[in-house]
Amino acid sequence: MRGLSKRVQALKPSSTVAMNAKALELRRQGVDVIALTAGEPDFDTPEHIKEAAWRALKEGKTKYTPPAGIPELREALARKFARENGLSYTPDQITVGVGGKGVLYNLFQAILDPGDEVILIAPYWVSYAAQVELAGGVPVVVKTEAEAGFVPDPEAVAAAVTPRTKALVVNSPNNPTGAVYPEEVLRALAELAQKHDFYLVSDEIYEHLIYEGTHFSPGRVAPEHTITVNGVAKTYAMTGWRLGYAAGPKDVIQAMTKIQGQSVTHPTSFVQWAVIEALESEKSLEFIRMAREAFDRRRRLVVEGLRALGLKTPEPKGAFYVMPDVTPIHEDELKAGEILLERARVAVVPGTDFKAPGHVRMSYATSEENLKEALRRIGELLG
Ligand SMILES: *Cc1c(COP(=O)(O)O)cnc(C)c1O
């Protein structure tokens, strides 16, 4: 009998992708919309990385690779983890995938049985909940407060642990809030994973975009329990290249690779070669510095601008998002998002699917000119 699976019927389309599409559609109709919806850097991929991909193509690196990724890339990643994160992984503890998203998908498929619980710290990136549910798992949500800068209280997380807890996901710097968790919070969460023997999934994709504070990898505290997930999309402006990676206990990494071997096989061969260049070239460091400075300027501009308009705005310390309280526009953030789009022609993502009621996510990965105009339009709406 024809019909779609219950699994896919329960799956919600990504709200960030949907809002972006709505803004693009309005723009296509000639409406001048400023989109603050994008979850990607507005910079182009650095030239030296593109050249490395082109070189790999010319050298015929166009065939199947091992499902865990080429050994040269996994060796470069082992060096990266040691150099930047103080983590010691051997290449056989590392797997690459089709974006950080693809890696997380493989991970939840590899560790979850139906009914297993995964603790998510809200507001959270929407794909965690969707991917956990696709694997038969049950998301358990622990809230954080805007007043606390959206940093979790480890005791509140501990209170959510049950005998069915299989994993806890942490994402610092955070999408959608921009929170950077202090080292002591990450240490406490890693110790919790050890104490109750569950996995700590640490999504570190924004590690290089920190404006206040420093990055800490909880895998340093609990190496047997942590799966460190990362990717090149945000650091090197390579969202479309689709390459992510993970490191952790060998059995988990091998299981993830097994799933990949039966699904997408591996990320694109010449992209893997280009990523070695991204990880190891001095030029990448210059690019990261440039991007970080630009994002930091925009961050200050947006936070000051929103506060001056009377919208309560916790200061983001990393990534490129800000989450103002939009209840002065409308109590319901979905309505507030509609009003912002229709009356101010500014597209944002309502906090609903992030579990951030009363808030919207604005991305400041766009020009200062666009940001100033967006603030002017919101000011007009509020005035
Ligand atoms: C962007 C993002 C990812 C992964 O992105 P890919 O493009 O799939 O590499 C993972 N986690 C968070 C929180 C993100 O914002």
Side-chain angles (χ1 to χ4, degrees):
M1 205 190 315
R2 293 181 309 133
L4 302 178
S5 69
K6 292 191 180 67
R7 200 167 57 245
V8 80
Q9 288 184 59
L11 181 68
K12 278 210 277 181
S14 159
S15 61
T16 50
V17 173
M19 266 315 274
N20 211 22
K22 205 164 166 184
L24 289 177
E25 176 55 25
L26 275 174
R27 206 182 275 165
R28 219 181 49 83
Q29 293 168 9
V31 184
D32 151 43
V33 174
I34 298 183
L36 305 183
T37 43
E40 61 183 347
D42 52 324
F43 307 109
D44 193 7
T45 305
E47 208 53 38
H48 67 286
I49 301 173
K50 290 186 185 175
E51 273 165 21
W54 183 227
R55 217 162 39 238
L57 275 168
K58 281 197 284 204
E59 287 168 4
K61 307 262 177 55
T62 57
K63 301 293 168 65
Y64 287 136
T65 78
I70 53 174
E72 291 86 346
L73 174 56
R74 282 179 288 129
E75 282 158 17
L77 286 166
R79 289 192 289 274
K80 177 257 182 266
F81 280 121
R83 188 175 67 235
E84 296 184 347
N85 305 99
L87 295 169
S88 70
Y89 289 119
T90 52
D92 61 355
Q93 290 180 290
I94 297 171
T95 186
V96 303
V98 182
K101 209 182 233 179
V103 168
L104 285 161
Y105 184 86
N106 293 341
L107 173 58
F108 292 127
Q109 292 292 327
I111 62 174
L112 297 180
D113 280 320
D116 282 351
E117 295 175 359
V118 177
I119 301 175
L120 302 179
I121 297 167
Y124 55 70
W125 188 51
V126 288
S127 295
Y128 298 139
Q131 292 193 351
V132 164
E133 284 171 350
L134 271 178
V138 180
V140 173
V141 179
V142 174
K143 291 196 185 108
T144 60
E145 301 302 325
E147 291 71 29
F150 296 113
V151 171
D153 171 4
E155 281 179 25
V157 179
V161 175
T162 78
R164 296 231 59 172
T165 303
K166 195 71 185 274
L168 159 67
V169 180
V170 294
N171 172 220
S172 173
N174 187 272
N175 174 9
T177 66
V180 174
Y181 300 173
E183 179 176 330
E184 62 268 24
V185 168
L186 290 163
R187 280 187 183 276
L189 297 176
E191 282 160 13
L192 197 67
Q194 280 175 320
K195 182 174 162 202
H196 297 280
D197 197 26
F198 57 72
Y199 292 115
L200 180 66
V201 178
S202 180
D203 179 348
E204 306 185 7
I205 196 128
Y206 295 99
E207 66 174 335
H208 287 290
L209 299 176
I210 294 190
Y211 319 107
E212 287 174 50
T214 49
H215 181 66
F216 181 77
S217 295
R220 287 170 60 178
V221 179
E224 298 300 321
H225 290 81
T226 305
I227 296 99
T228 306
V229 176
N230 209 326
V232 295
K234 312 294 162 56
T235 301
Y236 307 106
M238 293 176 72
T239 44
W241 295 63
R242 311 309 305 130
L243 193 128
Y245 51 92
K250 215 181 284 182
D251 60 336
V252 176
I253 294 299
Q254 276 171 359
M256 290 166 69
T257 301
K258 186 161 77 171
I259 287 161
Q260 182 151 282
Q262 294 289 24
S263 54
V264 299
T265 312
H266 62 73
T268 303
S269 55
F270 46 90
V271 167
Q272 295 184 45
W273 288 99
V275 167
I276 299 176
E277 173 74 13
L279 292 167
E280 306 225 300
S281 167
E282 290 282 324
K283 289 182 191 150
S284 299
L285 300 178
E286 270 165 53
F287 173 79
I288 293 170
R289 198 173 317 121
M290 180 283 294
R292 192 195 289 125
E293 281 170 15
F295 285 136
D296 191 17
R297 275 196 305 278
R298 299 165 182 184
R299 174 181 77 111
R300 291 160 198 268
L301 177 83
V302 172
V303 171
E304 278 164 29
L306 291 170
R307 286 180 179 169
L309 295 176
L311 297 178
K312 264 195 278 172
T313 306
E315 178 138 271
K317 295 185 165 38
F320 39 67
Y321 311 100
V322 58
M323 278 213 122
D325 177 336
V326 289
T327 49
I329 297 172
H330 198 288
E331 250 174 65
D332 175 351
E333 70 281 355
L334 273 171
K335 289 271 161 38
E338 267 171 37
I339 293 168
L340 281 166
L341 183 58
E342 280 156 20
R343 308 229 322 256
R345 287 163 294 126
V346 174
V348 301
V349 185
T352 320
D353 291 345
F354 302 119
K355 295 278 185 301
H359 293 74
V360 298
R361 186 190 78 174
M362 295 180 179
S363 161
Y364 50 86
T366 185
S367 68
E368 286 182 42
E369 191 189 355
N370 273 346
L371 293 169
K372 283 181 188 155
E373 175 60 16
L375 288 165
R376 196 193 60 75
R377 292 181 185 186
I378 299 169
E380 221 169 57
L381 174 77
L382 286 163

